[in-house]
Amino acid sequence: MGVGVLSPDQWNNRNYNEQHKEYTRKDRDAHEAFADAVSKAGAAGKSFDTETDGRTKKTARQYREQVFDQIAPNAPQRVKQAWMDAADVAGIDGMGVSNSGKLSHISQLMVRRVEKGYHGNGVCDLLGNSVQSAIRAAKEALYALEHPLDAGRGRTAEQIENRMKEKLFYQEFLKRL
């Protein structure tokens, strides 16, 4: 057996503290990756008014286009148009950003972005390069919303409303594809 490799017996006999440290490290890494993704997406706390130095911030549509290009760089124009139109109808896009530019909640696609390993270049292809791949991604996100792992424990009315808006977004997105 190679250096640094544990046999099944050795693994099972590992000290609880070592296992706990490893799980804690992985959990911290996942949270840091998510916080970094939100920060780089520029969604948290953003609004689309004017900045303090007088420059005009991006409109909601401009921001959504920028985010779309990061999460779906290979998607056809038809998918992008469906995304934009669905966001206009639902008042929120698939990344959980409302018309006012605020991040309303952690969306299913935001979770998927972190799971896929968001890289520093801002690109993580979530919707693929075809209408079919975008449909598949939207259906997976919709399924995850309709079948949550936590079964809705402790959700506030605002969280429930945001998830309903996200569900509406995916439904509208699918209709337009």
Side-chain angles (χ1 to χ4, degrees):
M1 189 172 303
V3 177
V5 177
L6 299 176
S7 72
D9 289 335
Q10 290 171 318
W11 178 260
N12 290 335
N13 293 327
R14 283 182 67 194
N15 181 318
Y16 168 78
N17 287 332
E18 289 176 46
Q19 291 177 4
H20 182 71
K21 284 179 189 176
E22 184 176 338
Y23 292 135
T24 302
R25 180 188 54 80
K26 287 180 180 180
D27 185 53
R28 184 184 65 243
D29 290 349
H31 280 82
E32 287 173 2
F34 178 75
D36 187 48
V38 170
S39 160
K40 287 184 180 174
K46 289 262 185 181
S47 62
F48 300 107
D49 303 329
T50 56
E51 295 191 26
T52 54
D53 64 2
R55 292 182 303 166
T56 302
K57 287 186 179 182
K58 295 177 183 171
T59 65
R61 186 163 185 96
Q62 289 170 327
Y63 181 76
R64 284 185 177 134
E65 287 176 353
Q66 177 186 353
V67 171
F68 182 88
D69 291 342
Q70 291 175 352
I71 65 163
N74 302 311
Q77 184 61 34
R78 178 177 169 195
V79 173
K80 184 174 187 175
Q81 188 62 47
W83 177 277
M84 297 302 159
D85 292 346
D88 289 342
V89 170
I92 193 170
D93 71 4
M95 295 304 285
V97 178
S98 70
N99 285 339
S100 66
K102 303 273 187 200
L103 179 63
S104 63
H105 69 292
I106 307 305
S107 72
Q108 293 303 310
L109 285 179
M110 179 89 58
V111 170
R112 181 77 32 88
R113 186 178 196 181
V114 173
E115 287 174 348
K116 280 191 152 199
Y118 180 78
H119 300 290
N121 61 3
V123 177
C124 182
D125 196 349
L126 297 176
L127 301 179
N129 61 0
S130 68
V131 171
Q132 292 76 20
S133 61
I135 289 171
R136 188 172 36 257
K139 284 183 176 180
E140 288 172 4
L142 192 55
Y143 180 86
L145 271 173
E146 293 172 343
H147 301 90
L149 296 176
D150 64 356
R153 291 181 301 195
R155 288 209 178 102
T156 66
E158 182 181 12
Q159 290 169 327
I160 292 168
E161 180 182 350
N162 288 332
R163 291 177 67 89
M164 289 175 65
K165 285 181 182 180
E166 182 182 3
K167 183 177 177 179
L168 175 62
F169 168 81
Y170 295 125
Q171 291 167 338
E172 292 293 327
F173 183 54
L174 287 168
K175 270 191 228 175
R176 286 160 170 70
L177 291 174

